[in-house]
Amino acid sequence: MSRELQELRNQRDEDPPSSRTESTADSGPSTIEDDGQDDFSLSIPAVSLNGVLIESSVAAEAFKTFAEVFRPQLPVIGSLSADDTYQSQPFLFWTIVIIIACHLPGQQYTELLQLLQAPYTTMLHQQILDAPLPLYKIQALLLLCHWPLPCETQTRDPSWLYCGVLIQAARFMSLDRQQTVPSLRSLGVASGSIRARINTWLGCFCVSTSLSLHLGLPPPIDSDLDFGSIHSFLRRQTAPPTFAMQVRVQLIVAKFTSLLNHDMGEGASSSFIRLLDTELDALRAEVSPEDEQMRAVELGILGAKMHLYALVITKDSNNSSSRQIMLRTARDVALRIIHISTLAMRNAPPDDQELIRKQRCLPKNHYRCLAFATIFLLKFFHRRGSDAPEERQAVANHISMAQNLFKACATEPRDEYNRTARVFEVLGRESPKSIEPDTLRLTHRMGVSIVFDAVSNASEARGKPVEIRENETIQDEGGPEESRVHERLLNQPEVEMDQADTSSEFLRGFWSDPYMNLLSFDPTPLESEYQDSWPSF
């Protein structure tokens, strides 16, 4: 283990390992220019998807919104021509339109999603099995993994399956190795430009690694040869700086996830965590606090720390001193994640629709990270008598901040945002005697095991089924006559919709002991009051 630790230190000080394409990849910044300016106009009055007609102005506005808001967050597609995309790349065209429809608030988008969801799903299932997949279909699947369609339960979110398809399709096109490939008929697909190929493979790596972390699964791209190629591609400087930084964060995640999943002693895992912190802190030093675009990078760094700390927590024995230290460290990171994620909403006027629109355009992994941080606090730090009163109040305030953000983004009573807020409420109302916070029934899904365990405890306390029988599916739960689906976001138990739902009522139920009732639970800025208690990250 000491040898592996030394190798990692050496990698930090040396150039990344070379790949078989290094001679072409390291020739300096790419000189490939984008194809041209965006053109959102359409030459026909309406566009059609399997007989469903949409006015061209609606589709053009969707493309404009995508280019302005969504594309900078995952810049794998260059300039766009709405008309050309509709004529020659219909799968990409309708993927962009439906992503806009299901993420922007407003009745017109709700109606648009209702019209398109069934025919688009049919198209999706046909397109992903039509081998070989060309570059634009891989890009469409990437967008769909980053901004998935709504789902009834998170176990039914197919993003992980789509990741497998797009990664293998990308390898078939040699996106992971060669940047210049002739468009031969024997390959079956056109090769695409150098910039598009590089950025698409970087997107495949970044999206799949981040998703694997949030699902508690091994990264699907994790070989030394892959890492070497990605380092070489980054040196071509085809990707915008913010996106390149996010890729670098995920490189660290992929390397350390594999190492920390090995069986090792507390001393070895602590050494790896210190090295992880060093690597991530070095990246964070390159992020300017004034650059709002880099905020996603900081959240990515904090999310990586949170998940890998939690991975170590699930493996260490309950009474070990290193586990207790790691719990406190992870708590501080969770507080920071919630603080950054809710900062804009707390500083905005009530019902700021433009801000809500912007929040809903963030990728799903952003909210997975925020939910994980909140559930971690609920699992390990709610009603902990050993904590100081100001620490308990800080935890309560941050949980309330997260819940308020999810509620503000919700547009339907049972959409994913509202269901997540319900999860927090259900877990917060649990009696501390009904669960053992330091005992986990599930540990094989890395740090996310904490989420599955916390939700299972809440279900068990309410008499809901926790285990699934052989040949049973989630849809079978409750019998065919039951109209409600009990498992919602993160498999949480059902909560009646007329249940009291205000933040003050939530917090009063959340902290019920007499001493804590003396404290104020209104979410307030905590940096100045607790700057000595909560280290900055």
Side-chain angles (χ1 to χ4, degrees):
M1 194 60 67
S2 60
R3 180 177 58 82
E4 292 176 332
L5 190 59
Q6 185 60 43
E7 287 178 356
L8 273 174
R9 290 196 181 101
N10 293 338
Q11 285 181 15
R12 189 182 63 207
D13 300 328
E14 298 173 357
D15 288 334
S18 61
S19 73
R20 71 180 73 172
T21 62
E22 192 168 32
S23 60
T24 59
D26 295 337
S27 57
S30 172
T31 58
I32 301 297
E33 296 295 331
D34 209 346
D35 298 330
Q37 298 297 317
D38 291 322
D39 182 3
F40 307 126
S41 62
L42 286 153
S43 59
I44 51 179
V47 290
S48 173
L49 175 60
N50 197 22
V52 176
L53 292 176
I54 303 296
E55 291 184 7
S56 292
S57 59
V58 174
E61 184 62 28
F63 263 68
K64 182 179 179 181
T65 301
F66 173 81
E68 292 176 351
V69 181
F70 288 77
R71 184 172 60 185
Q73 300 180 67
L74 186 63
V76 298
I77 298 175
S79 61
L80 283 166
S81 167
D83 202 51
D84 290 346
T85 306
Y86 176 68
Q87 298 295 337
S88 60
Q89 301 174 351
F91 181 48
L92 177 59
F93 178 91
W94 289 110
T95 298
I96 289 174
V97 172
I98 201 167
I99 284 175
I100 300 302
C102 68
H103 284 84
L104 292 190
Q107 185 63 29
Q108 71 273 28
Y109 294 109
T110 301
E111 294 173 354
L112 181 61
L113 178 61
Q114 291 173 349
L115 283 174
L116 294 179
Q117 189 156 10
Y120 176 80
T121 302
T122 300
M123 169 188 263
L124 170 63
H125 294 166
Q126 293 171 345
Q127 294 290 324
I128 63 176
L129 296 178
D130 186 17
L133 299 188
L135 188 62
Y136 79 87
K137 290 186 181 181
I138 297 173
Q139 293 169 336
L141 283 175
L142 264 177
L143 299 178
L144 204 58
C145 290
H146 213 43
W147 292 281
L149 302 184
C151 55
E152 284 292 322
T153 69
Q154 295 310 295
T155 53
R156 296 187 61 79
D157 186 337
S159 299
W160 183 246
L161 302 181
Y162 296 158
C163 272
V165 172
L166 67 89
I167 288 171
Q168 297 309 318
R171 290 194 188 278
F172 184 85
M173 289 188 65
S174 299
L175 300 188
D176 57 329
R177 296 291 180 263
Q178 289 182 282
Q179 299 160 23
T180 55
V181 175
S183 297
L184 301 178
R185 284 188 173 274
S186 57
L187 294 177
V189 287
S191 60
S193 69
I194 293 177
R195 179 183 294 274
R197 291 173 62 84
I198 291 177
N199 288 357
T200 300
W201 180 246
L202 293 179
C204 290
F205 171 74
C206 193
V207 170
S208 64
T209 305
S210 178
L211 183 58
S212 70
L213 192 66
H214 290 290
L215 297 179
L217 298 169
I221 302 174
D222 64 349
S223 72
D224 289 339
L225 188 58
D226 286 324
F227 294 157
S229 295
I230 291 167
H231 279 295
S232 297
F233 292 170
L234 286 173
R235 286 196 289 270
R236 289 297 298 265
Q237 300 179 22
T238 62
T242 302
F243 182 52
M245 287 285 286
Q246 291 173 327
V247 173
R248 291 169 64 189
V249 171
Q250 297 308 320
L251 275 169
I252 296 174
V253 167
K255 293 175 182 178
F256 277 91
T257 298
S258 177
L259 288 169
L260 291 170
N261 268 316
H262 284 93
D263 291 330
M264 62 181 75
E266 291 182 15
S269 62
S270 297
S271 297
F272 279 125
I273 286 295
R274 285 194 295 270
L275 186 56
L276 167 73
D277 286 336
T278 301
E279 297 277 350
L280 291 175
D281 290 343
L283 276 185
R284 188 180 181 278
E286 301 179 32
V287 177
S288 172
E290 290 77 23
D291 189 348
E292 187 175 350
Q293 290 186 339
M294 284 292 183
R295 187 164 294 171
V297 176
E298 183 177 6
L299 281 171
I301 292 171
L302 293 170
K305 286 188 175 187
M306 184 77 210
H307 276 278
L308 294 176
Y309 291 168
L311 168 58
V312 174
I313 289 169
T314 61
K315 296 176 64 176
D316 285 350
S317 60
N318 292 344
N319 298 324
S320 67
S321 58
S322 62
R323 186 177 191 266
Q324 297 306 313
I325 294 172
M326 192 63 65
L327 278 169
R328 296 284 177 172
T329 306
R331 176 200 62 184
D332 296 342
V333 174
L335 293 172
R336 180 66 177 168
I337 289 172
I338 295 172
H339 169 75
I340 295 176
S341 300
T342 61
L343 184 62
M345 186 69 71
R346 287 183 283 118
N347 291 337
D351 298 324
D352 187 336
Q353 293 303 311
E354 183 60 31
L355 179 60
I356 292 174
R357 181 177 183 270
K358 183 178 179 181
Q359 289 287 331
R360 286 180 58 91
C361 293
L362 295 173
K364 187 170 182 176
N365 281 341
H366 171 89
Y367 289 101
R368 286 188 175 111
C369 181
L370 178 57
F372 178 52
T374 308
I375 290 175
F376 181 87
L377 295 178
L378 284 161
K379 170 71 177 175
F380 291 106
F381 292 99
H382 84 286
R383 301 182 183 180
R384 296 296 293 268
S386 59
D387 294 337
E390 63 271 16
E391 294 177 345
R392 299 172 69 184
Q393 182 179 359
V395 169
N397 281 344
H398 281 75
I399 292 170
S400 180
M401 293 174 192
Q403 188 188 39
N404 288 341
L405 176 60
F406 278 98
K407 287 180 180 178
C409 291
T411 58
E412 300 290 337
R414 292 190 176 276
D415 66 10
E416 290 177 283
Y417 296 101
N418 248 332
R419 298 199 313 257
T420 306
R422 300 284 183 183
V423 171
F424 302 156
E425 186 166 356
V426 169
L427 295 178
R429 292 181 184 276
E430 279 303 300
S431 167
K433 296 180 180 179
S434 66
I435 59 173
E436 291 292 335
D438 291 329
T439 302
L440 295 174
R441 71 180 78 197
L442 184 72
T443 59
H444 73 282
R445 292 292 287 270
M446 301 195 293
V448 185
S449 299
I450 293 170
V451 175
F452 292 120
D453 187 78
V455 176
S456 295
N457 285 335
S459 297
E460 187 176 56
R462 282 163 172 71
K464 302 295 183 182
V466 173
E467 297 184 357
I468 188 168
R469 297 185 299 272
E470 194 71 28
N471 299 323
E472 181 188 9
T473 63
I474 296 300
Q475 298 95 311
D476 296 334
E477 184 181 340
E481 74 282 355
E482 188 165 341
S483 60
R484 288 187 177 182
V485 179
H486 288 302
E487 183 188 79
R488 297 292 177 182
L489 181 65
L490 299 172
N491 305 332
Q492 84 272 28
E494 188 75 15
V495 179
E496 293 300 324
M497 297 307 296
D498 58 355
Q499 186 172 337
D501 200 30
T502 64
S503 297
S504 60
E505 289 173 336
F506 163 70
L507 286 168
R508 280 198 295 270
F510 186 65
W511 303 101
S512 58
D513 57 282
Y515 184 78
M516 293 305 292
N517 285 337
L518 300 176
L519 301 175
S520 168
F521 293 109
D522 291 330
T524 55
L526 301 172
E527 291 77 7
S528 58
E529 188 172 355
Y530 301 118
Q531 58 185 356
D532 296 330
S533 302
W534 311 114
S536 60
F537 291 88

